[in-house]
Amino acid sequence: MTQNPPAAYGPDELFDNLIAGQWVPSEDRSRNINPSDTSDVLGQFARADAATVERAIAAAKQASETWAHGPIQQRFDILDTAGTLIRERADQLGELLAREEGKQLKEATAEVLRASQLFKFFAGETLRNTGEVVDSVRPGLRVEMIHEPVGVVGIITPWNFPIAIPAWKIAPALAYGNTIVFKPAEIVPASAHALVCILREAGLPDGVLNLVMGPGRVVGDAISTSRDVDAVTFTGSVGVGAGVIANASAAGSKVQCEMGGKNPLIVLGDADLDAAADAAINGAFFSTGQRCTASSRLIVTADVHDEFVAKLKERMTGLTVGDARAESTVIGPVVSADQLKQDEEYIRLAADEGGTVHGGERVEADTEGYFLAPALVTETTEEMTINKEEVFGPVASVIKVADYDEALAVANRTTFGLSSGIYTGSLTHAEHFKRHSQAGMVMVNAPTAGVDYHTSFGGRKGSSYGPREQGRAAREFFTLHKTIYVNP
Ligand code: UN1
């Protein structure tokens, strides 16, 4: 039986794509597997082919004519209602997210609440899409500068935030009058499907948001190469992002990509070491380290290195790994078998290249799941692969440095530039770091991960491409400027 919206989740439930307000089944489906218990299947989710994606794009294009010029009160009401519905169902949606992605239940529920807040924030922004009016340098003329919808937006989201990242792209896209073709990550379609159902319930007209689930190389490629998609927003890996940038550029579409990180957290001798250790543990291992803002390089001055590492190791003993939904669990499973393999390969490589690995072994549990103990790699040097490539798992390395100057140089010597942090009691070092860190987001005595929903988000260098996401900055990507000269 097709369940749209779903009444339950289980191995026989079928979930379809949504095009122009119609649920569209597919013979080709993928099974959504719980990473805490691989015998638990949440459902069979339709896999779109390229022709289906084309139909979704055509539906979005058609709906754009009405939606782009529709009343902003309608947009406000829909986004505001969606935010309310998500909040009311936070427990249920958090459960679902924890079950399909493996994020620890409290963190999963917090992610759902963040999605609700994003809808509320962008509901407000529908009413604040202000322009500018200036006098012309030519007497009698007046110039208006306004922000109009881009048109059809392709939204491609990753598996690590199955509801928050869709929300932070869908909410502004709708707020500024765009229509959408939405492709969630293939391994976490249930949260995305549930979100789409909520937006329909909130009153979103047919065709404004179309859901096309399936593999990136089919669905993502069809979106990013289409000349009928006016803008593409993507969060995911550097490799896939490069393809999206190339495709969208060739198709003449606007493009925005948020990709990886190798985020440094500097700890200086004058820092509150307990606070720094808490932030490092949170940033490196919470959400199983599967965050592009994760603190994966801990850069510590020699005077406190040993004490700091001891504090980390002590805290690591309390990080119980287990079923995402179990009360005692602090760290849920790795998301998939492929990701587990990648994490373990990086851990092995770190040891081969001379690092000392603490933790990082498989964890046995009552169920078959992808359980991996957090790994801390000490005695590392900058040249090691572990300090250059993003692992995207519960793995962090420690780099010992002489002083602040060396710490800053090491922090910046990376191809990435998403988030960075410093723990210090020195105002001078903190101020200097704020100015000289080559990252899009800089944290002073705060973890590198876990960002606000109303402020701009994004990185530099290989981490990001195109305008910022979230906050008021989101308007840059989701609108087009128009300059109007009026001779009244
Ligand atoms: C956060 O740190 O709260 O994919 C958000 C990611 C980021 C989001 C991180 N785009 O991990």
Side-chain angles (χ1 to χ4, degrees), residues 114 160-161 165 168 235 290-293 449-451 457:
R114 183 160 157 183
N160 65 329
F161 284 84
I165 292 181
W168 83 48
T235 299
Q290 298 173 151
R291 290 188 284 195
C292 59
T293 48
V451 297
F457 179 99

Side-chain angles (χ1 to χ4, degrees), residues 10 14 23 54 76 108 115 119 269 272 285 326 328 357 367-368 370 412 424 453 461 465:
L14 305 181
W23 292 107
E54 269 173 38
F76 174 91
F119 276 98
D272 175 340
F285 302 134
S328 56
V357 179
T367 50
E368 285 288 328
Y370 308 120
N412 284 338
T424 178
Y453 65 87
K461 300 196 238 177
Y465 187 89

Side-chain angles (χ1 to χ4, degrees), residues 10-84:
D12 301 326
E13 307 296 333
L14 305 181
F15 298 83
D16 298 337
N17 287 316
L18 183 73
I19 298 176
Q22 302 296 311
W23 292 107
V24 179
S26 163
E27 276 185 21
D28 189 16
R29 290 181 181 274
S30 66
R31 291 172 347 125
N32 186 348
I33 294 165
N34 176 352
S36 300
D37 176 1
T38 56
S39 68
D40 177 30
V41 178
L42 282 76
Q44 299 179 39
F45 290 77
R47 300 173 107 213
D49 56 17
T52 307
V53 179
E54 269 173 38
R55 284 171 56 204
I57 295 168
K61 198 171 175 176
Q62 201 185 343
S64 173
E65 286 153 32
T66 325
W67 181 251
H69 299 286
I72 56 169
Q73 186 63 48
Q74 179 195 20
R75 288 188 217 156
F76 174 91
D77 289 341
I78 292 166
L79 294 177
D80 184 54
T81 305
T84 302

